[in-house]
Structure formats: structure tokens, C-alpha cells
């Protein structure tokens, strides 16, 4: 199994474990995700994690492999409202425990990648305008979170 497959399998396994103890991850444990629906807890988590930048309708169609009985946008919004923010916090914490950070280039912790390619020099030398002296700058890695929802979830964890 390749490393990306291991990462994806690990993520899905954590979601599967979470689905066995829903009460910690939903807003109303007595009602939420009890009935059998097209968008159950596991599918909602998978869908939200795997969504890209398309419209919601397009993302639902892709996720359900263009099946004619795809859930409506309203059904998605209703099911999403049942999820607690703690579900994503737990998922991210458990996932990070499975893959401890290692220093990138011996100095930096690479926290996340958005799929872009970026070439960074070992050391960037610039001339300071005020003094005219040469200064060595070490590049700082910037990470991106594509979704405002995930940014909201992460803000409680990382910041």
C-alpha cells in the first residue's frame, strides 16, 4: 500500500471508529443520525472531508457517483447541522497522533499542503534597503486550508 493510501485508510478508519460512539460528535445524541438515511454520519464526514471547490450539487453528484437518487442540497444542510464541531476536532487530533510531525529540511514542521508546488531556496539572501547590508532569510512555509468551515474548526485547535 502506498503512503497516500495509508493516510486515506487511516482517516476513514478513524471516522469508522467515531461512528460507533456518535453521542460525542452530534448536537442531539438522542435524535441525530439514529434513522437510516442516505447521508448517515460516516457518509457526511467522508463527504465534507472530500469536497472540493465545486458547487454543492456537483459535489453530491460526484460523491454518489452520479446516481439519480442523490440527496438534495437541503438534506445535506440538515444533516450537516447535526454534526458537532467536536467531531472534526476529534478527527484531526486522532489523525495527527497517527502521523507525528517530522522536521522538514531539518528546521521546519510542514503542517499541511494544498497540492500546489513551490520551490523554496535553502537560504534567500536580500539586501536591506536601510543599511545596504546583505541579510539571510530562511523561508517560512505557508499552509492553506481550502474550506472556511475547516478554518473555523482548526481555529479552536491550533490558534
Amino acid at each position: 500500500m502506498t503512503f497516500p493510501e495509508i493516510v486515506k485508510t487511516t482517516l476513514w478508519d478513524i471516522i469508522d471508529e467515531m461512528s460507533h460512539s456518535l453521542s460525542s460528535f452530534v448536537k442531539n445524541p438522542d435524535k441525530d443520525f439514529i434513522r437510516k438515511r442516505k447521508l448517515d454520519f460516516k457518509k457526511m464526514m467522508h463527504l465534507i472531508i472530500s469536497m472540493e471547490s465545486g458547487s454543492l450539487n456537483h459535489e453530491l453528484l460526484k460523491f454518489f457517483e452520479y446516481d439519480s437518487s442523490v440527496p438534495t442540497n437541503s438534506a445535506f444542510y440538515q444533516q450537516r447541522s447535526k454534526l458537532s464541531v467536536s467531531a472534526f476536532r476529534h478527527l484531526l487530533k486522532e489523525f495527527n497522533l497517527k502521523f507525528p510531525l517530522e522536521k522538514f529540511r531539518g528546521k521546519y514542521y510542514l503542517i499541511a499542503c494544498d497540492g500546489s508546488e513551490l520551490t523554496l531556496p535553502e537560504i534567500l539572501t536580500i539586501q536591506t534597503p536601510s543599511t545596504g547590508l546583505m541579510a539571510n532569510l530562511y523561508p517560512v512555509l505557508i499552509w492553506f486550508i481550502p474550506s472556511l468551515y475547516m478554518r473555523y474548526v482548526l481555529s479552536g485547535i491550533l490558534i
Side-chain angles (χ1 to χ4, degrees):
M1 198 179 321
T2 65
F3 184 70
E5 290 169 339
I6 292 169
V7 170
K8 188 175 181 179
T9 302
T10 302
L11 188 62
W12 295 163
D13 288 346
I14 294 169
I15 292 172
D16 189 48
E17 289 172 17
M18 290 170 63
S19 69
H20 298 301
S21 58
L22 287 178
S23 61
S24 304
F25 310 116
V26 296
K27 292 182 180 174
N28 189 348
D30 297 330
K31 292 183 179 180
D32 297 341
F33 296 104
I34 300 298
R35 292 175 51 196
K36 184 174 165 68
R37 303 234 183 220
K38 290 178 190 173
L39 288 171
D40 61 4
F41 178 82
K42 281 171 53 172
K43 283 185 183 171
M44 280 301 295
M45 295 294 286
H46 282 235
L47 176 58
I48 291 171
I49 294 292
S50 63
M51 287 176 84
E52 296 176 357
S53 62
S55 68
L56 178 57
N57 194 39
H58 180 70
E59 295 295 335
L60 285 168
L61 284 168
K62 269 193 332 188
F63 186 79
F64 286 94
E65 299 174 344
Y66 299 93
D67 185 13
S68 61
S69 64
V70 66
T72 63
N73 291 1
S74 177
F76 172 82
Y77 293 131
Q78 288 174 26
Q79 292 297 88
R80 185 186 64 181
S81 71
K82 297 175 183 178
L83 292 173
S84 171
V85 172
S86 65
F88 293 97
R89 286 188 179 140
H90 178 80
L91 177 63
L92 291 171
K93 284 180 182 178
E94 289 299 313
F95 182 76
N96 287 329
L97 289 174
K98 305 278 185 187
F99 299 97
L101 290 176
E102 295 177 13
K103 286 190 176 179
F104 176 72
R105 292 192 174 179
K107 294 182 181 182
Y108 309 104
Y109 289 111
L110 181 62
I111 298 174
C113 294
D114 71 344
S116 300
E117 291 186 17
L118 178 65
T119 304
L120 296 173
E122 291 281 333
I123 299 174
L124 178 65
T125 305
I126 64 165
Q127 185 174 9
T128 57
S130 59
T131 62
L133 298 174
M134 300 302 279
N136 291 331
L137 299 177
Y138 294 92
V140 175
L141 299 180
I142 300 171
W143 57 288
F144 301 93
I145 301 173
S147 163
L148 289 175
Y149 188 71
M150 290 304 290
R151 183 174 296 162
Y152 168 73
V153 171
L154 287 173
S155 67
I157 298 171
L158 300 175
I159 298 174

